[in-house]
Amino acid sequence: ASGSYRPFYNGFYYNHIMNDDGDGQDKVDYFNGDKLVVETSRDPVYSYTGANVTLPCHYRYEPDTAPKRKIRIKWSKLRDDYTKEQDVMVAIGKTYMAFGDFKGRAHIRQASRHEASLVISDVRLKDDGKYRCEVIDGLEDESDVVDLRLRGIVFPYQPPRGQYRLNFHEAERVCLDQGAILANFHQLFQAWSEGLDWCNAGWLADGTVQYPIRLPRKPCGGVHLAPGIRSYGPRHRHLHRFDAFCFSSALKGEVFYLDRPAGMTLEEAKQSCQDAGAEIARVGQLYSAWKFLGLDRCSAGWLADGSVRYPIATPRANCGPAEPGVRSFGFPSKGRFGVFCYKER
């Protein structure tokens, strides 16, 4: 700035700031020339819903010296483009405060010198994402980013009304109704790498519309395009309508099957689950039980959204295609079936 000047360097940096008395007099704040370095994990940290997870973060000085004042530690959750999304926690010494959904679930682990790791208990689906660890020592402020990824499963979802009926906000709600959230691109890419092939476009959490193709074919972008994630890019969140790609993680409870000799209507199925001390399972819970617990049942059952499905871990005759998966009978208006129930542990 015009008129500014730099003092000679003698191992300290020098800065003018207004004092706290508001009398217009400048005061000088000195801090030593040691470099503050913050480091987190280079590799993603993996976890699942209901677990406790530690996001590592350490800081040091070059050359190595002890801080001359209390360090302030701040954790924030970021969007995929690294812009700030929400405050998670701030801490000075042993005093800390967590914010929003992280209240009562997050604290700083300082088991060793210069540690600022974040511990999150009872991990939730929304916790998946990037986190910034920021260390503030006086006027020095350094940070690094660590990626928390939940182990889970992506499944495409259409409502009873049929294909391409959901705007972005409706897609968010239907995923929540199924015990899931809208998948992000990384989760969809991981599902594609594990074999997901789906020709209908669906919303993702960032407001883009995409779909995964393993076997190129004419109705799905053409036979001459390589396998991969097809993208329509960002769409209008109110006006445009597509399906949804939902993401669900591991379960805290169990999914089990109930049946009667004559089958059940949807209402009878809900009551049967209640009588068993449970609730009728959601689509995301059935997918998670199939993916993580190996649930295998060659009998169709009602789910909470009115659909009828069954999970196959070991393909066999009279149980659908030759690949493992969750089979669907759609949303029958009539018929009597068994039911899949879910009970918390």
Side-chain angles (χ1 to χ4, degrees):
S2 176
S4 65
Y5 65 95
R6 294 180 180 272
F8 65 93
Y9 176 72
N10 62 357
F12 290 82
Y13 296 99
Y14 177 90
N15 189 21
H16 282 293
I17 59 174
M18 300 300 294
N19 66 18
D20 295 332
D21 299 329
D23 57 9
Q25 300 297 315
D26 285 349
K27 73 176 181 180
V28 178
D29 186 28
Y30 296 93
F31 58 100
N32 62 42
D34 296 339
K35 181 182 178 182
L36 174 63
V37 179
V38 176
E39 294 178 329
T40 59
S41 172
R42 298 295 90 192
D43 298 321
V45 176
Y46 289 91
S47 188
Y48 52 90
T49 52
N52 298 335
V53 66
T54 299
L55 304 183
C57 180
H58 295 80
Y59 61 94
R60 68 178 190 275
Y61 294 86
E62 296 178 350
D64 187 18
T65 61
K68 300 184 183 303
R69 57 195 140 224
K70 286 186 176 180
I71 296 298
R72 182 169 180 252
I73 299 168
K74 182 177 182 180
W75 280 89
S76 303
K77 191 170 186 291
L78 308 177
R79 296 186 179 93
D80 286 341
D81 60 3
Y82 289 87
T83 58
K84 181 179 175 181
E85 182 172 285
Q86 66 181 119
D87 291 330
V88 175
M89 164 166 286
V90 293
I92 301 177
K94 294 184 179 181
T95 302
Y96 65 87
M97 177 179 293
F99 303 96
D101 291 340
F102 293 96
K103 286 183 178 179
R105 294 197 301 125
H107 68 272
I108 301 293
R109 187 181 76 178
Q110 295 175 306
S112 61
R113 183 171 178 245
H114 294 173
E115 183 177 13
S117 302
L118 177 68
V119 179
I120 303 174
S121 60
D122 189 21
V123 170
R124 300 173 183 175
L125 287 172
K126 287 186 177 181
D127 294 344
D128 183 280
K130 295 178 173 64
Y131 290 77
R132 183 186 301 280
C133 174
E134 187 175 4
V135 178
I136 304 162
D137 178 6
L139 296 180
E140 286 198 271
D141 184 344
E142 296 294 335
S143 65
D144 200 2
V145 174
V146 59
D147 199 359
L148 172 60
R149 297 182 185 176
L150 268 60
R151 300 188 187 276
I153 182 170
V154 172
F155 59 93
Y157 189 83
Q158 293 178 358
R161 303 191 308 274
Q163 182 185 22
Y164 292 174
R165 298 298 182 93
L166 303 170
N167 66 27
F168 174 79
H169 304 288
E170 291 166 341
E172 282 188 313
R173 286 196 295 272
V174 298
C175 287
L176 288 175
D177 289 344
Q178 301 316 312
I181 59 173
L182 271 179
N184 60 37
F185 176 80
H186 167 76
Q187 292 162 346
L188 183 64
F189 183 85
Q190 181 68 28
W192 169 81
S193 69
E194 294 173 357
L196 181 62
D197 184 290
W198 195 257
C199 198
N200 294 339
W203 290 103
L204 297 182
D206 61 357
T208 61
V209 173
Q210 311 195 38
Y211 61 101
I213 294 298
R214 299 278 297 183
L215 178 65
R217 48 203 185 273
K218 188 174 181 180
C220 309
V223 296
H224 301 296
L225 287 179
I229 307 295
R230 314 276 193 251
S231 178
Y232 291 179
R235 301 281 90 182
H236 195 290
R237 298 190 179 201
H238 291 284
L239 299 181
H240 292 153
R241 295 183 175 274
F242 297 93
D243 294 339
F245 286 105
C246 303
F247 174 80
S248 180
S249 186
L251 296 172
K252 297 180 183 178
E254 63 171 333
V255 174
F256 58 94
Y257 184 80
L258 294 177
D259 199 6
R260 295 178 184 172
M264 292 174 277
T265 65
L266 177 58
E267 293 306 314
E268 291 170 341
K270 292 179 179 178
Q271 187 59 53
S272 293
C273 289
Q274 292 179 10
D275 293 343
E279 62 182 13
I280 188 169
R282 304 178 188 187
V283 176
Q285 292 166 341
L286 184 66
Y287 269 96
S288 293
W290 167 75
K291 169 79 172 182
F292 296 104
L293 303 177
L295 185 63
D296 185 292
R297 184 83 194 195
C298 194
S299 302
W302 290 106
L303 295 175
D305 65 340
S307 65
V308 173
R309 308 174 193 247
Y310 63 100
I312 295 297
T314 304
R316 51 201 182 274
N318 302 318
C319 296
E323 299 80 24
V326 175
R327 326 292 196 213
S328 175
F329 285 177
F331 298 85
S333 58
K334 298 179 182 179
R336 303 177 71 86
F337 304 92
V339 61
F340 289 98
C341 305
Y342 175 73
K343 188 173 185 179
E344 288 275 358
R345 289 195 185 94

